[in-house]
Amino acid sequence: MFRNQYDTDVTTWSPAGRLFQVEYAMEAVKQGAAAVGLRSASHIVLATVNKAASDLSSYQKKVFKIDDHIGVAIAGLTADGRVLSRYLRNECINHAFVYESPLPVSRLVVRLADKAQVCTQRSWKRPYGVGLLVAGLDETGAHLYYNCPSGNYFEYQAFAIGSRSQAAKTFLERKFEFFNNYSRDELIIDAIFAIKETLQGEKLTSAICTVAVVGKDEAFHLIDQKIIQELIDAMEIKEDVPADQAPVPDDDGSSGAAPMDI
């Protein structure tokens, strides 16, 4: 993208009917570190790449708890992500205080979309340069939404945003039809696999990966880094084992291996 006479503010339309400031904000999402979301009938998993600005700095937090039943993962400008996360927390707190019940996920997503859309019609504001994957569970079930800087929002079974997210999308598109029947542990493993796809050859470790989960009878929380590293090590061992030496499935279709406590 390049600077031109039609991108001085967000209310200036180009002759082709484009708002360049909004497109710049959406490009900021594409340049951010990758974030992945998957949902089943009872659980939602978020995973992100922890990308440091330099070898001398630590990474910035990309997964935020909004309420016990809602969490978000961001890609793009982290500062904008923190501002919107604080806004979402306030909305959940106010709703719980007035109605004494959790805020439905769909209603929270609409409020977030409205807030983002206002920034596309005010010349003294700029669009938020961050995309949010909103994961939540309410009375209607598990939900995963993507909120775009343009003010649009979409619900997905699985989705990926950020840098090199297309590789993760390709992986998710091959398997998303089965996610609805997945267990919690299977969702977490596939989320790590999807994050690994975005690294394109770079070694995956728990130090550069954050995974969070929310589900029935389970509040939103981050999974311990030691457990993530154990899963990554187990995945690498499985990939190195030749097909003729793989575990023989039992009669019920399982491999006979004991499930890991995640």
Side-chain angles (χ1 to χ4, degrees):
M1 290 189 178
F2 56 90
R3 185 170 178 81
N4 58 65
Q5 60 182 322
Y6 300 108
D7 66 355
T8 53
D9 64 69
V10 76
T11 60
T12 301
W13 294 82
S14 75
R18 297 166 62 183
L19 289 173
F20 286 101
Q21 287 287 327
V22 176
E23 292 185 17
Y24 294 162
M26 296 171 70
E27 185 65 24
V29 177
K30 296 178 183 178
Q31 298 296 328
V36 174
L38 302 82
R39 73 175 172 92
S40 66
S42 59
H43 289 84
I44 314 98
V45 173
L46 297 175
T48 62
V49 175
N50 303 329
K51 187 177 181 181
S54 73
D55 294 337
L56 301 178
S57 68
S58 62
Y59 66 86
Q60 289 185 298
K61 187 177 178 183
K62 287 172 54 73
V63 179
F64 300 94
K65 179 179 179 180
I66 304 303
D67 203 347
D68 285 342
H69 67 300
I70 299 177
V72 300
I74 67 170
L77 299 180
T78 309
D80 288 0
R82 289 198 305 269
V83 170
L84 292 177
S85 296
R86 186 165 60 248
Y87 167 76
L88 295 177
R89 290 192 191 104
N90 289 335
E91 290 297 308
C92 287
I93 291 171
N94 292 338
H95 186 277
F97 178 78
V98 174
Y99 299 102
E100 297 183 357
S101 64
L103 178 60
V105 183
S106 59
R107 192 175 303 175
L108 179 66
V109 167
V110 170
R111 294 181 186 179
L112 176 60
D114 289 342
K115 185 175 179 65
Q117 199 277 333
V118 168
C119 296
T120 68
Q121 60 186 39
R122 299 284 188 269
S123 60
W124 62 90
K125 291 186 176 183
R126 66 163 176 82
Y128 291 106
V130 64
L132 291 91
L133 291 177
V134 183
L137 190 77
D138 55 26
E139 294 179 350
T140 61
H143 300 280
L144 175 68
Y145 289 92
Y146 168 54
N147 276 79
C148 183
S150 64
N152 289 319
Y153 65 94
F154 309 91
E155 185 170 10
Y156 289 94
Q157 185 75 42
F159 199 59
I161 58 176
S163 176
R164 293 180 288 198
S165 60
Q166 185 56 51
K169 290 178 185 176
T170 302
F171 169 79
L172 296 172
E173 286 169 358
R174 295 199 304 263
K175 308 185 70 175
F176 79 95
E177 294 178 349
F178 307 103
F179 287 159
N180 206 48
N181 298 322
Y182 266 28
S183 67
R184 171 186 181 275
D185 296 356
E186 289 173 323
L187 277 182
I188 293 172
I189 292 171
D190 271 7
I192 296 175
F193 258 114
I195 285 294
K196 185 177 181 181
E197 292 293 318
T198 68
L199 299 178
Q200 295 185 350
E202 183 181 347
K203 183 175 177 58
L204 176 64
T205 66
S206 60
I208 63 171
C209 178
T210 299
V211 182
V213 62
V214 61
K216 291 183 178 179
D217 303 321
E218 183 175 12
F220 185 88
H221 69 282
L222 300 181
I223 297 176
D224 187 80
Q225 296 297 100
K226 292 182 179 179
I227 296 175
I228 296 175
Q229 188 59 53
E230 290 175 2
L231 289 171
I232 294 172
D233 293 341
M235 287 163 46
E236 291 178 348
I237 292 173
K238 185 176 180 180
E239 290 177 351
D240 293 338
V241 174
D244 57 353
Q245 298 181 17
V248 179
D250 294 337
D251 294 336
D252 59 357
S254 65
S255 64
M260 183 173 291
D261 183 17
I262 301 176

